[in-house]
């Protein structure tokens, strides 16, 4: 086969991929662009809405919430990461897994657990104390409850990034510090801590953005952050200009946080001092600190993992469920699986051309298109949903409040997860295999079907499982965009908790956690197979 023929075919495939990739990017950009247009259309009232005292208070509330959750998460995660990586903590392997597991519990399930355990009325503790004449417990609603719930179930974002950084630390740096007379504490402060600062910042960024974009916890804890205020405005007012302005303020706040994190990261450049093969890190003996370290780790696991599961089991045994409820539960499970499965398939189909174009034809346009797919993921779910409500009501009335629109919102939110995994798999496939197939006469689509897709299948399965998992847990977009009468496990947990039907919420929470666990096991199985 002549080289010119191959180049000609590749050029044809190049154009096809660029068209598909551009179409995908154009579609996922709709919510952001339409939000900008909708906000601009508000006119001179934008400043009046943005500077209203109530909205200024919501702005401050959101910043305070994100700051406190990030700070407390770091105070929990950094010591845990150090203990489970660098020390001789007993049962270290068990603690490494147990301290990361709270990440699979959705924050609104965690909020349900806290409210049903220590809430002022009808909670576990209140039921125990009621025979003693206790009429009610102190309220946990508001900022304290929101900070507690978000911290307990989002600190693993920092834990995982810091653990990875500690595992890759060059031991010669600490050895040099010790040889120069530094104590163990001075070595940690002057050498180890500066090297894990970027990972603390990266994990902290994830926690801060999650705190700003989360809807379930502020809603259940009745705390006026941006997401709750936007949802209330959407539900209670026909004039949704205020909701649009609040959504734009939230997007700008998230953007400012991203810029600040990027600028702080650009100033630091830590790397190992040795070019030789990396040696294992020395294990630090805890000595007299072993018992306090064990108590600290146990307390975190108790409140972030064991207590939530225990509370859910408690309410399971307290409730009585008839056949109608079980049939309804089955329908909710099928609804969740149905939309999550369709979203996983749609996200993978959309991710394939973008990933292949970026990896096989690396240039400015392909890289720009790949990065543009991440636009939607930077938007909170409630903002994407609100933008699509505006868009659907004005330009796509046939799709408004349909399953298709709901799945489109999910794809906008979770496409980067599919693109990331498919792109990583493609990078590991030698392009000479595809070139060999093309030289033997296979066309672009035949090569894609018989060579590329089979080789990246683990990445496709992994990406689909990741999208499926996050879609199962998604709440605000489902509440706003789902067809009338359509409910999922996530929306029913939220509604049941809000109405204090804790036993009902517990049943659905356990199904959601099982589904999350199965998706996570598929992801881990693929990672294990890859190694």
């Amino acid at each position: 086969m002549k080289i010119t023929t191959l180049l000609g075919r590749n050029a044809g495939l190049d154009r096809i991929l660029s068209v598909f990739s551009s179409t995908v990017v154009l579609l996922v950009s709709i919510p952001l662009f339409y939000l900008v247009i909708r906000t601009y259309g508000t006119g001179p009232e934008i400043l009046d809405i943005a500077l209203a005292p109530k909205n200024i208070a919501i702005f401050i509330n959101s910043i305070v919430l994100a700051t406190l959750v990030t700070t407390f998460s770091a105070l929990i995660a950094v010591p845990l990461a150090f203990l489970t990586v660098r020390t001789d903590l007993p049962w270290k392997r068990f603690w490494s897994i147990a301290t990361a597991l709270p990440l699979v519990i959705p924050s609104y399930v965690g909020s349900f657990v806290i409210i049903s355990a220590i809430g002022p009325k009808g909670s576990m503790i209140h039921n125990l104390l009621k025979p003693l004449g206790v009429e009610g417990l102190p309220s946990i609603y508001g900022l304290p409850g929101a900070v507690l719930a978000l911290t307990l179930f989002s600190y693993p974002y920092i834990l995982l990034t810091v653990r990875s950084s500690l595992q890759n630390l060059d031991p010669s740096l600490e050895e040099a510090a010790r040889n120069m007379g530094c104590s163990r504490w001075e070595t940690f402060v002057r050498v180890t801590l500066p090297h894990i600062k970027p990972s603390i910042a990266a994990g902290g960024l994830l926690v801060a953005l999650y705190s700003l974009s989360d809807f379930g916890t502020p809603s259940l804890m009745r705390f006026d952050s941006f997401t709750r205020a936007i949802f209330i405005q959407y539900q209670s007012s026909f004039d949704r200009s205020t909701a649009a302005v609040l959504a734009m303020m939230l997007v700008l706040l998230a953007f400012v946080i991203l810029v600040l994190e990027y600028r702080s990261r650009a100033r630091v450049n830590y790397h190992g001092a040795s070019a030789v093969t990396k040696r294992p890190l020395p294990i630090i003996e805890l000595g007299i600190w072993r018992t306090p370290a064990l108590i600290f780790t146990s307390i975190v696991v108790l409140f972030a993992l064991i207590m939530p599961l225990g509370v859910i089991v408690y309410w399971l045994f307290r409730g009585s469920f008839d056949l109608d409820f079980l049939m309804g539960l089955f329908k909710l499970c099928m609804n969740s699986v149905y939309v999550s499965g369709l979203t996983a398939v749609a996200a993978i189909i959309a991710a394939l051309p973008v990933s292949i174009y970026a990896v096989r034809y690396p240039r400015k346009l392909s890289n720009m298109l790949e990065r543009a797919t991440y636009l939607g993921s930077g938007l909170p779910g409630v903002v994407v949903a609100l933008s699509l409500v505006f868009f659907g009501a004005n330009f796509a009335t046939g799709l408004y409040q349909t399953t298709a629109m709901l799945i489109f919102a999910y794809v906008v939110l979770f496409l980067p997860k599919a693109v990331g995994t498919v792109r990583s798999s493609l990078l590991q496939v030698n392009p000479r295999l595809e070139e060999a197939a093309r030289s033997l006469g296979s066309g672009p689509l035949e090569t894609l079907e018989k060579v590329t897709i089979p080789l990246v299948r683990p990445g496709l399965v992994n990406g689909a499982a990741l999208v499926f998992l996050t879609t199962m847990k998604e709440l605000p977009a489902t509440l706003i965009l789902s067809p009338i009468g359509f409910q999922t496990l996530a929306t029913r947990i939220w509604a049941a908790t809000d109405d204090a039907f804790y036993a009902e919420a517990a049943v659905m929470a356990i199904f959601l956690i099982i589904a999350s666990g199965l998706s996570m096991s598929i992801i881990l199985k693929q990672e294990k197979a890859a190694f």
Side-chain angles (χ1 to χ4, degrees), residues 28-29 31-32 372-381 384 411-414 416:
V28 300
S29 304
L32 179 59
T373 59
Y374 288 76
L375 277 175
S377 72
L379 301 174
V384 170
V411 172
V412 171
L413 288 168
F414 307 132

Side-chain angles (χ1 to χ4, degrees), residues 335-347:
N335 285 348
S336 296
V337 171
Y338 174 64
V339 292
S340 301
L342 286 179
T343 303
V345 173

Side-chain angles (χ1 to χ4, degrees), residues 300-365:
V300 174
V301 172
L302 174 67
F303 283 98
L305 184 65
I306 297 174
M307 187 195 78
L309 297 178
V311 171
I312 290 173
V313 171
Y314 168 83
W315 287 110
L316 279 178
F317 283 101
R318 289 267 302 182
S320 58
F321 311 106
D322 56 22
L323 185 60
D324 289 341
F325 174 81
L326 295 176
M327 291 298 291
L329 177 62
F330 177 76
K331 187 178 179 183
L332 289 172
C333 292
M334 293 307 296
N335 285 348
S336 296
V337 171
Y338 174 64
V339 292
S340 301
L342 286 179
T343 303
V345 173
I348 291 298
I349 291 174
L352 262 175
V354 177
S355 304
I356 295 173
Y357 189 43
V359 173
R360 291 292 179 256
Y361 304 93
R363 59 190 67 157
K364 279 187 179 178
L365 177 62

Side-chain angles (χ1 to χ4, degrees), residues 407-459:
I407 290 172
F408 175 64
Y410 290 151
V411 172
V412 171
L413 288 168
F414 307 132
L415 179 61
K417 293 179 169 60
V419 171
T421 51
V422 175
R423 186 177 186 278
S424 300
S425 295
L426 272 170
L427 287 171
Q428 296 173 3
V429 175
N430 193 330
R432 292 183 181 278
L433 296 171
E434 295 163 334
E435 292 171 6
R438 303 288 298 278
S439 67
L440 292 171
S442 297
L445 294 179
E446 192 177 4
T447 303
L448 184 70
E449 178 190 355
K450 294 184 176 179
V451 179
T452 308
I453 289 180
L455 289 173
V456 300
R457 184 171 292 142

